[in-house]
């Protein structure tokens, strides 16, 4: 279960739709184990396969919640339905970060509720409802599977700040990664 490098904004796999998993086998279970290990080492609450350079529709999460959902899980080939997102401007309490946009965080409005369907690593159906920050996590990781980073959803004010951060950090080109457990934690955990 090796920790894998995390891709940074600009890597093509992060910006295109991931493909469905077709086989639930030992190779998939090994990938999922690597994803958990990488997420844990990076102090993340979620990690999608494209974030480690794999263009498959899989994400793992590790987040306590009030929804009676196990605090740790995997979703393979998920679907997601949400309530409408409020039209109000986001505030600082709604700031998100992303391991593929390391060290930065920006406010973003998200739906307060999500219904998630998919499969676990064995191919068993998984279905649950998520609320609050857990719903935010589900939406964030699901977006990765569709080639969308949270910074792609920011309002004009925060989008400008995100583009400036990307420029200052030299992101936006293929081949950039950081290694959890080796490189400094970009979020200071």
């Amino acid at each position: 279960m090796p920790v894998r490098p995390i891709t940074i904004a600009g890597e093509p796999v992060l910006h295109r739709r991931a493909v469905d998993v077709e086989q639930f086998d030992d190779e998939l279970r090994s990938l999922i184990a690597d994803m958990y290990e990488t997420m844990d080492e990076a102090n993340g609450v979620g990690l999608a396969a494209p974030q480690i350079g794999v263009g498959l529709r899989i994400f793992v999460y590790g987040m306590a919640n009030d929804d009676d959902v196990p605090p740790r899980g995997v979703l393979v080939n998920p679907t997601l339905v949400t309530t409408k997102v409020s039209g109000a401007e986001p505030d600082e309490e709604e700031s998100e970060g992303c391991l593929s946009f390391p060290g930065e965080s920006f406010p973003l409005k998200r739906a307060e509720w999500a219904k998630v369907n998919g499969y676990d690593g064995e191919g068993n159906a998984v279905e649950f409802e998520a609320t609050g920050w857990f719903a935010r996590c589900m939406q964030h990781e699901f977006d990765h599977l569709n080639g969308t980073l949270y910074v792609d959803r920011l309002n004009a004010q925060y989008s400008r700040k995100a583009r400036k951060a990307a420029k200052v950090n030299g992101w936006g080109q293929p081949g950039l990664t950081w290694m959890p457990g080796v490189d400094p934690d970009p979020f200071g955990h």
Side-chain angles (χ1 to χ4, degrees):
M1 295 183 294
V3 172
R4 297 197 189 189
I6 295 178
T7 59
I8 295 176
E11 185 64 34
V13 71
L14 289 172
H15 305 285
R16 65 176 173 251
R17 187 182 193 283
V19 299
D20 285 342
V21 170
E22 295 183 0
Q23 294 186 35
F24 291 80
D25 55 15
D26 287 342
E27 188 175 332
L28 175 66
R29 286 182 283 281
S30 179
L31 172 62
I32 292 168
D34 290 356
M35 290 174 66
Y36 278 125
E37 189 75 21
T38 302
M39 176 183 70
D40 292 345
E41 191 66 34
N43 297 303
V45 296
L47 182 75
Q51 293 184 273
I52 58 168
V54 178
L56 292 174
R57 295 187 73 77
I58 308 165
F59 69 79
V60 296
Y61 66 87
M63 184 176 201
N65 61 81
D66 296 324
D67 301 310
D68 295 323
V69 177
R72 192 169 174 84
V74 60
L75 285 153
V76 179
N77 298 338
T79 61
L80 187 102
V81 177
T82 65
T83 53
K84 188 176 179 179
V85 178
S86 157
E89 288 296 312
D91 60 39
E92 291 298 321
E93 292 177 3
E94 296 170 304
S95 287
E96 282 185 32
C98 180
L99 298 175
S100 291
F101 211 81
E104 302 294 334
S105 62
F106 301 99
L108 175 65
K109 282 285 184 193
R110 292 273 193 187
E112 287 293 318
W113 175 90
K115 182 175 182 180
V116 182
N117 289 285
Y119 300 91
D120 67 14
E122 303 297 322
N124 301 308
V126 175
E127 179 179 330
F128 60 84
E129 294 180 11
T131 60
W133 278 93
F134 188 48
R136 178 181 292 271
C137 176
M138 296 297 103
Q139 293 167 76
H140 181 110
E141 298 309 326
F142 185 77
D143 273 354
H144 276 299
L145 305 184
N146 292 323
T148 302
L149 298 180
Y150 87 103
V151 293
D152 298 329
R153 294 189 177 277
L154 299 174
N155 69 18
Q157 173 191 358
Y158 294 113
S159 181
R160 281 189 300 277
K161 290 181 179 185
R163 285 193 307 273
K164 182 178 179 182
K167 184 176 181 179
V168 165
N169 287 299
W171 302 335
Q173 59 187 339
L176 300 176
T177 63
W178 69 277
M179 189 67 181
V182 175
D183 294 325
D185 183 326
F187 292 99
H189 296 109

